[in-house]
Amino acid sequence: PPGKKVLIVYAHQEPKSLNGALKRIAVEELSKQGCSVTVSDLYAMQFEPRATRNDIVGSLHNPEEFNYGAEMWEAYKRGSLSSDVIEEQKKVQEADLLIFQFPLYWFSMPAIMKGWMDRVLVQGFAHEFPNCYDSGLLKNKLALFSFTTGGTKEMYAKGSISGDIRYLLWPMQHGIMHFCGVQVLAPHICFAPEYVSEEERKEMLIAWAERLKTLWKENPINCSPEWYFK
């Protein structure tokens, strides 16, 4: 609906890729609906994935012994995080919906996107015990993981070699997004695009565009272990 803000965090090196096309379609479709869409193109930005001392501007809270989590929390409170982290936090803060678009690497997200999670979702900003899971600091936001796989749909079935695809969504959707209070929409998965026909790839893009048309009517998944492991 008009006025909704969307942040697409996108991790692929090649604009001509299927991931690039999926990202483009999301921008076009959501913009058409009157949403304002921002893209963090991590490779193009040369986003720094490493969590280091450089993420804190100025002096440390405890210079004797470096504790990244504790230092980031203190730096967040006093407004002295590095500018690239602050920039991404602003985008997250403003967004009603976060879409993560990426190719699956080793049952997970690419390092550059994991680094985004590590550096941006700081304590005090995204969570602050006991304010996590349903009371996480980013509640009232939605997230959607849209990704491509190397393996086929059959390989990611429950009794199959890779196990149920939902198992590997647990750390990403539950351990990161739900932990920060974000509600999660069903993932959008394009299985094995490299091994299908050009025609089937086109169908994948059409299916994504169709889904986006009614995305705001969708209910989040049930945020419990049952959804992943039943």
Side-chain angles (χ1 to χ4, degrees):
K4 291 280 192 191
K5 290 192 160 73
V6 182
L7 171 62
I8 301 175
V9 182
Y10 162 70
H12 199 288
Q13 309 87 334
E14 174 52 67
K16 294 194 204 83
S17 64
L18 189 76
N19 273 276
L22 290 160
K23 182 260 296 172
R24 252 190 331 280
I25 284 167
V27 173
E28 284 163 16
E29 189 51 53
L30 293 164
S31 301
K32 226 184 275 174
Q33 296 172 17
C35 303
S36 78
V37 185
T38 304
V39 178
S40 286
D41 181 341
L42 301 180
Y43 286 104
M45 292 156 68
Q46 298 192 324
F47 186 79
E48 169 61 80
R50 293 168 299 183
T52 69
R53 160 76 181 90
N54 297 338
D55 293 348
I56 298 106
V57 175
S59 57
L60 292 176
H61 184 68
N62 176 8
E64 297 309 302
E65 191 178 327
F66 185 67
N67 176 325
Y68 184 79
E71 291 294 345
M72 290 293 277
W73 186 27
E74 294 296 335
Y76 175 73
K77 288 189 287 195
R78 57 171 202 267
S80 55
L81 291 170
S82 66
S83 59
D84 60 339
V85 174
I86 290 172
E87 191 58 34
E88 295 307 298
Q89 287 180 344
K90 274 193 200 127
K91 296 176 194 174
V92 171
Q93 196 66 65
E94 287 174 4
D96 298 297
L97 167 66
L98 309 166
I99 296 177
F100 297 95
Q101 181 65 59
F102 59 98
L104 195 69
Y105 280 9
W106 296 117
F107 277 28
S108 187
M109 57 188 89
I112 200 166
M113 184 177 278
K114 176 56 163 55
W116 185 95
M117 304 283 182
D118 293 348
R119 297 179 62 230
V120 175
L121 302 174
V122 171
Q123 183 175 353
F125 169 69
H127 57 90
E128 187 148 17
F129 193 81
N131 294 322
C132 48
Y133 290 118
D134 290 342
S135 59
L137 303 180
L138 301 181
K139 55 181 181 290
N140 308 326
K141 295 186 189 299
L142 292 168
L144 192 165
F145 286 81
S146 171
F147 59 96
T148 57
T149 67
T152 61
K153 193 169 188 173
E154 293 68 41
M155 287 170 76
Y156 282 107
K158 200 169 211 157
S160 204
I161 185 77
S162 298
D164 194 325
I165 191 83
R166 291 187 177 195
Y167 300 159
L168 49 112
L169 287 163
W170 171 254
M172 299 191 265
Q173 293 186 165
H174 188 78
I176 304 177
M177 284 295 118
H178 184 205
F179 186 82
C180 297
V182 179
Q183 293 191 297
V184 180
L185 296 173
H188 199 84
I189 308 165
C190 293
F191 288 99
E194 287 172 84
Y195 303 105
V196 302
S197 67
E198 194 53 47
E199 197 45 52
E200 285 171 279
R201 276 198 292 275
K202 284 205 182 92
E203 281 165 20
M204 287 175 174
L205 297 177
I206 291 164
W208 178 226
E210 280 309 301
R211 182 177 174 191
L212 287 161
K213 285 183 170 61
T214 55
L215 195 67
W216 300 101
K217 296 192 176 84
E218 290 184 19
N219 289 318
I221 64 165
N222 155 25
C223 280
S224 69
E226 284 76 50
W227 188 89
Y228 300 88
F229 302 108
K230 61 170 181 268

